């Protein structure tokens, strides 16, 4: 590949001017020049690519350039949104949205894995979106005047533990500490770095890239028979059989169908066949979920990542924990102690700073010191002292290089001896895994990842399997770039082989029914274990209020003559009447004996989340209230949905995003209560169909009459 000066020299030899070039493309380690039609030049035909290679280079170049731009736009939007929100919202408001925690007091925790841990606690329950692995900003006063960031290690009912790479300042152990969700810029840099590797991929990497980008077709699937190590249904078995015999494969897992369970069986089978597996997802939570399940089996597992981002109970699988337990690490530790002593000896002598050395090189100082000479006004004693400093420093430098090399070898050995390496997509681009190649990448959460993220594990293996559900929420994107909301899973579902899991283990048949018809062509089947389960199985007391809403009927739509309004200083909508109804229904459910962990509240609008959280602000308990995005991948025994929109014009705004509706309707296991204005919702065809479904398979109730 030729760029810059080298390209100019080559053009000069070919007698081509820069003005003769229409466009330059870079890919496959080559430079492709598209000349303007008027240009006439005699060029050796050997320099011309085949039509196929020309098409490939242009496609890859344009793809990389486009996504580099999109990633940069998203990074900028995320930074701006975070800083803007911290500036414009009060701490209390940001806490209600789950992106800050106030009124904390820090206490020192034992250091481990070369990290400093601080536990920030308070008596009031912590209800937050901040989770393990997140980067947070720690402050006392104005957050934007602080530059102290850390990584969340764990979040519990009354405290959050944060890990710091440097010893934190003493003020963190005082009162009035605030923790804010902050920006992680590293993920964007790693996606961009992978795009550049992808651009010039050769051999196996080029093949995986071209299959993922739809340039080449994968090899035909050969089903592989296997003996299950876990309990699988027939559709799960079929998915594993196909995945084992595929170069590229998708597992389509609708809500509650055991997508991750299927991936675990696939990983176990691949290991048995002698394959080295890379198991990945976008989030630390999903990676740890796979690790927890794999830990029950006799496998060699290693989890790559910042130690604070790994669940505490899974720390033994962390590569850093494994390193510290190794015998070689003990010897290296003694080596670092020796380095410390050498540094002390070195620092007993004069450091040859620029001012002290008067511009002399280290070799010149050593030569003069050996001859007992002075120069440029530097005394012999100072010259010899500087020479001693240089000698000790070279010993330190040599030993540090040796120890770092030995450390790298231990880490490499741990990775090479593992059957399964688990990591988030971004961490695959860390130094530890940069040079590693795997037999197969197994990628969870595939439909929730932006394309450049999913391409990271794909570029590390000779085959890949992605699991996801393109009928649920797309990747979360802050910028207005719609292309980023299309996942690679969604792109590939029409192009390569896939298998859909059909038996679901979460919902009552009636709760499943509408989504099944609308989004999954009626292919889902409720397993016998959940088909008919209701809240009667929770042995609650009979309701004293709202009997027609809170009885055993699994699906209820509650019509409320509420009135939507835009929240102050916000574009988001809220509906006070619906929020109050949610509070009263939750109060009654708790009075009936429902546990707080049984109940979840979903609403599409952030302002409504805030309003409901205020109303449900119990001192001693927390009912989860989240946006639809916050409940993706989650489930509760009882779900209440507040649709919010209520107007005479029939305007339902972004409720029209039907994937959000699908996610919201499929979180409940035994009881689904939907609250909204029937007339407003019925203006949309899909919601009209849903209301018709409730007429035939559930119950509609007027809130005023049900009290």
């Amino acid at each position: 590949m030729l760029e810059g000066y080298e390209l100019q020299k080559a053009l000069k030899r070919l007698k081509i001017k820069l003005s003769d070039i229409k466009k330059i493309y870079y890919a496959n380690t080559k430079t492709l020049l598209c000349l303007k039609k008027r240009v006439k030049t005699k060029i050796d035909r050997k320099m011309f690519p085949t039509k196929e290679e020309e098409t490939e280079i242009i496609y890859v170049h344009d793809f990389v350039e486009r996504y580099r731009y999109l990633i940069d736009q998203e990074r900028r939007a995320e930074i701006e949104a975070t800083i803007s929100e911290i500036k414009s919202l009060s701490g209390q408001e940001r806490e209600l949205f789950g992106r800050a925690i106030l009124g904390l007091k820090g206490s020192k925790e034992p250091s481990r894995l070369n990290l400093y841990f601080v536990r920030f606690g308070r008596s009031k329950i912590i209800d937050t979106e901040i989770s393990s692995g997140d980067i947070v900003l720690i402050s006392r006063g104005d957050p934007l005047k602080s530059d102290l960031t850390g990584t969340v290690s764990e979040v519990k009912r009354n405290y959050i533990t944060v890990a710091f790479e440097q010893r934190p300042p003493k003020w963190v152990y005082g009162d009035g500490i605030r923790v804010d969700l902050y920006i992680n810029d590293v993920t964007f840099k790693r996606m961009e770095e992978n795009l550049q590797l992808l651009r010039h991929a050769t051999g196996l990497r080029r093949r995986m890239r071209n299959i993922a980008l739809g340039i080449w077709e994968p090899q035909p699937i050969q089903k592989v028979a296997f003996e299950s190590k876990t309990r699988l249904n027939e559709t799960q078995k079929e998915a594993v059989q196909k995945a084992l015999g595929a170069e590229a494969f998708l597992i389509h897992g609708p809500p509650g169908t055991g997508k991750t369970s299927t991936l675990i069986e696939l990983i176990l089978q691949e290991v048995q066949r002698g394959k080295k597996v890379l198991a990945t997802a976008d989030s630390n939570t999903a990676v740890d979920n796979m690790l927890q399940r794999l830990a029950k089996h006799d496998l060699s597992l290693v989890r790559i990542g910042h130690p604070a981002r790994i669940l505490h109970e899974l720390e033994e699988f962390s590569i850093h924990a494994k390193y510290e337990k190794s015998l070689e690490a003990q010897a290296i530790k003694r080596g670092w102690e020796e380095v410390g002593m050498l540094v002390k000896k070195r620092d007993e002598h004069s450091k040859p700073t620029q001012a002290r050395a008067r511009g002399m090189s280290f070799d010149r100082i050593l030569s003069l010191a050996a001859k007992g000479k002075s120069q440029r006004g530097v005394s012999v004693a100072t010259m010899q002292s500087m020479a001693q400093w240089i000698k000790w420093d070279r010993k330190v430098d040599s030993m540090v290089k040796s120890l770092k090399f030995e450390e790298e070898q231990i880490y490499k050995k741990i990775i090479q001896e593992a059957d399964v390496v688990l990591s988030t997509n971004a961490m695959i681009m860390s130094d530890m895994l940069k040079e590693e190649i795997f037999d197969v990448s197994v990628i969870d959460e595939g439909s929730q990842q932006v394309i450049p993220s999913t391409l990271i594990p794909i570029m590390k293996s000779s085959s890949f399997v992605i699991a996801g559900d393109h009928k649920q929420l797309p990747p979360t994107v802050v910028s207005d770039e719609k292309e980023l909301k299309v996942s690679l899973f969604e792109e590939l579902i029409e192009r390569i082989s896939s298998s859909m899991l059909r038996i679901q283990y979460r919902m009552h048949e009636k709760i499943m029914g509408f989504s099944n018809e609308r989004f999954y062509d009626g292919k889902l089947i409720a397993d016998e274990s959940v088909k008919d389960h209701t809240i009667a199985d929770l042995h609650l007391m009979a309701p004293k209020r709202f009997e027609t809403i809170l009885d055993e009927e699994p699906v209820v739509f509650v019509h409320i003559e509420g009135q939507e309004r835009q929240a102050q200083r916000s574009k988001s909508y809220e509906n006070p009447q619906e929020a109050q109804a949610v509070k009263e229904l939750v109060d009654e459910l708790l009075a009936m004996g429902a546990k707080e962990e049984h109940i979840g509240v979903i609403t599409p609008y952030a302002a409504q989340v805030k309003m409901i959280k205020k109303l449900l602000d119990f001192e001693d308990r927390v009912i989860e209230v989240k946006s639809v995005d916050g409940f993706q991948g989650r489930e509760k025994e009882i779900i209440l949905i507040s649709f919010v929109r209520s107007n005479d014009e029939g305007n339902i705004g972004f409720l029209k995003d039907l994937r959000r509706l699908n996610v919201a309707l499929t979180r409940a296991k035994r009881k689904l209560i939907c609250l909204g204005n029937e007339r407003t919702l019925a203006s949309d065809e899909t919601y009209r169909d849903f209301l018709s479904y409730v007429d035939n398979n559930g119950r509609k109730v007027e809130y005023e009459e049900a009290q």
Side-chain angles (χ1 to χ4, degrees), residues 391-406:
K391 287 175 183 177
W392 283 114
D393 189 62
R394 286 180 173 176
K395 282 184 182 178
V396 168
D397 188 53
S398 173
M399 199 163 179
V400 165
K401 283 178 182 174
S402 175
L403 289 170
K404 284 188 173 179
F405 177 77
E406 287 175 34

Side-chain angles (χ1 to χ4, degrees), residues 318-589:
S318 160
I319 192 164
H320 302 287
K322 285 177 177 281
Y323 167 85
E324 288 200 347
K325 286 180 183 175
S326 68
L327 294 172
E328 300 96 326
Q330 302 308 313
I332 290 173
K333 189 177 181 182
R334 289 192 292 274
W336 284 114
E337 289 168 358
E338 193 177 332
V339 165
M341 289 189 287
L342 292 177
V343 167
K344 282 183 181 177
K345 286 184 179 179
R346 180 196 68 187
D347 292 347
E348 290 171 1
H349 303 281
S350 300
K351 183 177 180 179
T353 60
Q354 197 169 7
R356 189 176 285 149
R358 310 275 171 91
M360 290 182 282
S361 69
F362 280 13
D363 287 339
R364 181 68 179 153
I365 292 168
L366 289 169
S367 174
L368 290 167
K371 294 172 184 175
K373 291 184 176 182
S374 65
Q375 196 172 84
R376 299 182 187 178
V378 179
S379 68
V380 172
T382 300
M383 195 76 76
Q384 290 180 332
S385 183
M386 287 194 297
Q388 287 300 314
W389 189 97
I390 292 166
K391 287 175 183 177
W392 283 114
D393 189 62
R394 286 180 173 176
K395 282 184 182 178
V396 168
D397 188 53
S398 173
M399 199 163 179
V400 165
K401 283 178 182 174
S402 175
L403 289 170
K404 284 188 173 179
F405 177 77
E406 287 175 34
E407 280 181 346
E408 285 173 13
Q409 295 310 301
I410 297 171
Y411 283 122
K412 195 175 282 187
K413 184 183 175 189
I414 292 168
I415 290 166
Q416 288 172 348
E417 290 178 352
D419 298 319
V420 185
V421 175
L422 298 103
S423 169
T424 58
N425 294 344
M427 274 305 298
I428 295 167
M429 290 303 294
S430 65
D431 291 338
M432 281 184 187
L433 289 179
K434 252 181 190 171
E435 304 307 316
E436 296 295 323
I437 294 292
F438 297 82
D439 296 308
V440 57
S441 289
V442 176
I443 306 163
D444 201 0
E445 292 187 331
S447 51
Q448 294 170 252
Q449 305 168 7
V450 294
I451 289 175
S453 177
T454 313
L455 286 169
I456 296 174
I458 285 174
M459 294 299 292
K460 300 294 289 181
S461 59
S462 53
S463 65
F464 64 87
V465 177
I466 311 177
D469 179 14
H470 56 298
K471 302 294 184 181
Q472 294 188 63
L473 289 179
T476 302
V477 174
V478 178
S479 67
D480 296 325
E481 303 294 345
K482 291 182 180 177
E483 284 174 77
L484 285 175
K485 293 188 178 181
V486 180
S487 66
L488 189 64
F489 186 96
E490 189 173 358
E491 287 265 298
L492 291 175
I493 196 77
E494 301 299 328
R495 294 207 302 254
I496 69 170
S497 296
S498 64
S499 195
M500 178 176 160
L501 308 180
R502 294 181 54 204
I503 300 173
Q504 71 84 12
Y505 299 89
R506 175 186 298 161
M507 296 162 273
H508 187 286
E509 196 169 37
K510 287 184 178 181
I511 297 174
M512 174 192 79
F514 180 75
S515 284
N516 188 25
E517 290 173 11
R518 176 61 52 148
F519 301 102
Y520 302 108
D521 301 324
K523 292 178 181 175
L524 293 185
I525 302 163
D527 186 71
E528 289 296 324
S529 62
V530 300
K531 182 179 177 181
D532 300 312
H533 67 185
T534 68
I535 60 169
D537 306 321
L538 303 178
H539 307 294
L540 306 180
M541 291 181 281
K544 293 180 180 176
R545 299 177 67 200
F546 310 114
E547 292 91 340
T548 55
I549 300 175
L550 301 179
D551 65 2
E552 294 173 24
E553 175 58 55
V555 181
V556 180
F557 181 87
V558 183
H559 170 69
I560 297 182
E561 286 290 342
Q563 188 57 51
E564 68 179 46
R565 67 187 187 196
Q566 266 192 310
Q568 287 184 333
R569 295 181 292 120
S570 171
K571 293 178 181 177
S572 187
Y573 284 88
E574 61 190 17
N575 186 317
Q577 292 82 5
E578 281 188 26
Q580 183 61 32
V582 167
K583 180 199 183 309
E584 291 177 4
L585 288 167
V586 168
D587 284 346
E588 186 60 28
L589 281 164

Side-chain angles (χ1 to χ4, degrees), residues 55-56 59-60 63 198 206-218 248 451 455 458 464 488 491-496:
T55 303
E56 181 185 345
Y59 186 92
V60 171
F63 175 88
L198 174 148
R206 178 187 173 201
R207 177 159 186 81
M208 288 297 101
R209 174 197 75 189
N210 286 0
I211 289 171
L213 299 188
I215 299 169
W216 293 350
E217 293 287 322
I451 289 175
L455 286 169
I458 285 174
F464 64 87
L488 189 64
E491 287 265 298
L492 291 175
I493 196 77
E494 301 299 328
R495 294 207 302 254
I496 69 170

Side-chain angles (χ1 to χ4, degrees), residues 73-176:
Q73 291 299 104
E74 179 64 14
R75 181 182 65 82
R76 290 169 186 269
E78 200 168 295
I79 291 169
E80 286 172 15
T82 301
I83 293 172
S84 173
E85 188 179 281
I86 292 174
K87 281 181 179 176
S88 63
L89 295 183
S90 68
Q92 288 77 11
E93 285 176 311
R94 197 161 149 82
E95 181 166 45
L96 277 168
F97 287 129
R99 295 191 283 275
I101 309 169
L102 310 180
L104 298 166
K105 180 179 172 61
S107 60
K108 192 179 288 188
E109 289 282 288
S111 298
R112 61 183 193 276
L113 304 176
N114 297 319
L115 294 171
Y116 300 90
F117 289 84
V118 178
R119 176 183 287 191
F120 296 100
R122 69 184 190 192
S123 57
K124 185 182 176 184
I125 291 172
I126 292 171
D127 178 18
T128 186
E129 299 288 316
I130 298 170
S131 61
S132 173
D134 284 337
I135 303 295
V136 287
L137 180 67
I138 314 297
S139 62
R140 188 172 58 181
D142 183 353
L144 294 178
K145 287 184 179 175
S146 172
D147 60 358
L148 180 63
T149 58
T151 304
V152 177
S153 173
E154 64 177 345
V155 181
K156 295 295 184 184
R157 200 172 171 85
N158 293 97
Y159 66 85
I160 177 171
T161 306
V162 179
F164 299 91
E165 293 185 6
Q166 306 294 330
R167 192 184 300 277
K170 289 181 180 178
W171 60 259
V172 302
Y173 303 115
D175 292 315

